[in-house]
Amino acid sequence: MIRLAGVSKRFGQVEALRQLDLEIRSGEWLGVFGHNGSGKTTLIRTIVGLSKPSSGQLTLDGKSPTQKDWRIFRRKLGFMPERVSFYEHLTGAQTLRFFCRLRGLDDKVVAPMLERVGLAQAAGRKIGGYSKGMRQRLNLAQALLGDPEILILDEPIEGLDPRGVRDFFQLLRSGATGTVVMSSHRLSEVCDQVDRACVLVDGESKALGSVDEICESLALPVTVYLYPTQPFNGTLRAALSDLGASSVLQRTDVLVVEVSQRNKTVFLMGLHAHRQAIRHVRVQEPSMERAFFDIP
Amino acid sequence: MISRDAVLSIVGKELGDGLRNRWIWTVSALIATSVLAIAFFGAAPVGVTGRQGGGVVIASLVNLAVYLVPLLALLLGCGAVIDEKQRGTLDLILVYPISLGEYFSGAFLGFALALTIAIAVGFGVSGIVLMSWFEIEVGAYLGLAGLAVALGVVFLSLSFLVSIAARDRSRAVVSLVFVWIFSVFVFDLLLLGLLVVSGGELPAALFSTLLLMNPTDVFRLLCFKWISGVASPLGLTTAMPFVPSTLLLGVALLAWGALPLIVSYSLFRHRVANETLT
């Protein structure tokens, strides 16, 4: 549906996006990850049509969009920008009514939406008195108005506490929206929620695929935590190396072992022979965060 | 296809914002009190004191409108578009199914309505008092108020242009103060200087053309032509027998309203497309 082919975006001397190829598939949840300044917001702005590629092509449903196509696309689009200061003198309900009319929706959807995002009690209060979390929920509410088919969210969980993040994803899941694109630099909280991830480094897509695919392609090792029954001795440590551990780190009461994906099964089976010496085993697959740091 | 709901939504929002602007009501109140002060305590700008006749009062009000109405419009329009951009709401609005033209026309209409209401209140409140104390022709007073609204729309149009061209709000405000000073004070001084330097020999056609270059002069001349009884107190009949025709003045005022607006819309499109509207 949305496809970027060789898209680059330049701001003077700065190249914010470089030769980006990306397809946003219908019904998928795509996470766009990267450090600050990696090009996430530029990519999001390009997808919603606020930014035009310097080179390359963006297509909507297979064709280069005209103004009319953008308008049709935007009827089914919800957008949550990273930085927005709503009108302080308006109440939450008045704000949503304003955006509701822009979308051509009936005002009746405002009250249920405020209820849905947990702002029903504050509907009549001016936004000037809203907390950061409440503003973020209002921002999400305007994006969710009319349950758009596609949601584009720029750093949606920025500034939210863990409970706020949980509530945010619950809200998102409760809607009818099929396709979601969200940018974030908080990998641990977002990568479990998305079907695919695109990792941007200096405007370049360094990895694209499911979290498992990305980790696999990077051949990241599995981390195995071994808790011994007895105080450590050199025997177990030496045995672990023989079983294929690529590194063994000794901490106070645990051995942290790294094993390649290829050797993982053999290694874990081999531990059986040392079961008397091991009280507990914890296996940790490589995280997206680890992948993020290991991407060249 | 134009989305009427979307345009009306923008109009309503901008109208509400405009009417919340305290400066607008300060200037509106200033208009009302100045109108009354001039009427009751003397028409100082035309050199007459004491309770005045209708023509003298209207003539004084024309001069008052030249100072205050552009100020009102500039105060209202100085943050047009740029405030939305700095707040981040412009980007959000433009991702809704609304065209740049719909947004722009809605914003201008909203501001113009707020301006009209502020001028109507300023002239309306004082007008009621004036009508009961002076022999003022209702038509003449309403004509003046109508032309004041037109002058306000012209300066609103100019303020849109400056606001969109400026990098931020503070630069827009400074630029608009210069526009006001130039239009209200400096231009006429330059024109007088030119007359003096030329020994009063400036060709009539050139002088008329130069007058059309300043919207406040066009407004003054339109008042002179349209509103009966103000020509003499304004001192225009003797000094300027070569005043352009009413039609030409009307077209000039219309052009002063339309051209900056067309240019500002084109600049708005250009800056949005090039992402230079910061």
Side-chain angles (χ1 to χ4, degrees), chain A:
Chain A
M1 51 189 301
I2 307 165
R3 191 180 165 84
L4 288 88
V7 165
S8 295
K9 180 70 188 178
R10 216 168 285 106
F11 295 104
Q13 299 296 311
V14 180
E15 204 166 17
L17 293 177
R18 299 166 194 239
Q19 291 291 316
L20 198 72
D21 292 310
L22 178 67
E23 186 186 14
I24 298 157
R25 300 165 188 162
S26 185
E28 80 168 342
W29 284 42
L30 176 75
V32 178
F33 301 106
H35 296 292
N36 292 335
S38 59
K40 299 188 298 293
T41 296
T42 305
L43 174 59
I44 293 287
R45 287 175 61 83
T46 305
I47 293 169
V48 297
L50 285 174
S51 188
K52 279 184 187 162
S54 306
S55 61
Q57 201 183 22
L58 177 143
T59 54
L60 297 177
D61 293 327
K63 63 173 185 168
S64 193
T66 59
Q67 286 299 321
K68 193 180 165 193
D69 295 326
W70 275 117
R71 197 178 177 120
I72 293 166
F73 173 67
R74 284 169 176 164
R75 282 204 189 105
K76 50 187 181 181
L77 175 75
F79 175 50
M80 184 180 171
E82 178 190 8
R83 190 189 65 84
V84 64
S85 306
F86 290 113
Y87 314 106
E88 304 273 302
H89 59 282
L90 296 185
T91 65
Q94 286 169 333
T95 303
L96 281 197
R97 266 199 291 276
F98 169 66
F99 286 107
C100 207
R101 285 170 198 162
L102 283 187
R103 204 181 278 285
L105 298 169
D106 197 296
D107 285 0
K108 284 175 191 164
V109 302
V110 169
M113 182 54 73
L114 285 164
E115 182 78 43
R116 191 167 145 197
V117 298
L119 287 176
Q121 299 295 319
R125 268 169 56 192
K126 289 190 174 171
I127 294 171
Y130 275 25
S131 69
K132 188 168 185 176
M134 290 164 85
R135 285 164 196 254
Q136 198 77 333
R137 273 185 276 165
L138 187 69
N139 194 358
L140 178 65
Q142 66 75 24
L144 288 171
L145 280 170
D147 275 320
E149 285 174 39
I150 307 155
L151 264 179
I152 312 284
L153 317 167
D154 193 7
E155 299 280 3
I157 58 166
E158 185 63 27
L160 294 183
D161 58 23
R163 188 177 173 169
V165 173
R166 188 200 63 187
D167 293 348
F168 170 81
F169 283 114
Q170 274 177 0
L171 257 172
L172 218 53
R173 295 274 175 203
S174 70
T177 300
T179 310
V180 178
V181 178
M182 68 175 94
S183 73
S184 183
H185 58 260
R186 289 168 64 174
L187 286 104
S188 53
E189 284 137 317
V190 178
C191 68
D192 289 342
Q193 305 287 341
V194 296
D195 303 311
R196 285 197 309 151
C198 170
V199 181
L200 290 178
V201 178
D202 294 332
E204 210 172 328
S205 172
K206 289 287 186 182
L208 178 64
S210 69
V211 174
D212 288 344
E213 282 167 357
I214 291 175
C215 294
E216 203 178 310
S217 69
L218 291 167
L220 292 173
V222 178
T223 308
V224 182
Y225 295 86
L226 298 173
Y227 299 83
T229 47
Q230 302 288 323
F232 288 119
N233 57 50
T235 319
L236 181 60
R237 193 172 172 149
L240 294 175
S241 295
D242 292 343
L243 287 172
S246 50
S247 77
V248 181
L249 181 71
Q250 185 176 324
R251 291 203 192 139
T252 316
D253 58 351
V254 63
L255 283 169
V256 183
V257 183
E258 283 196 341
V259 187
S260 67
Q261 289 285 351
R262 193 160 44 87
N263 290 340
K264 180 174 74 177
T265 314
V266 174
F267 177 84
L268 291 174
M269 286 172 69
L271 288 181
H272 185 73
H274 304 276
R275 60 186 182 282
Q276 299 299 329
I278 301 167
R279 174 170 54 89
H280 178 60
V281 177
R282 183 161 66 87
V283 180
Q284 187 181 305
E285 288 293 332
S287 66
M288 189 65 193
E289 234 145 14
R290 175 73 192 271
F292 186 63
F293 287 116
D294 275 44
I295 288 168

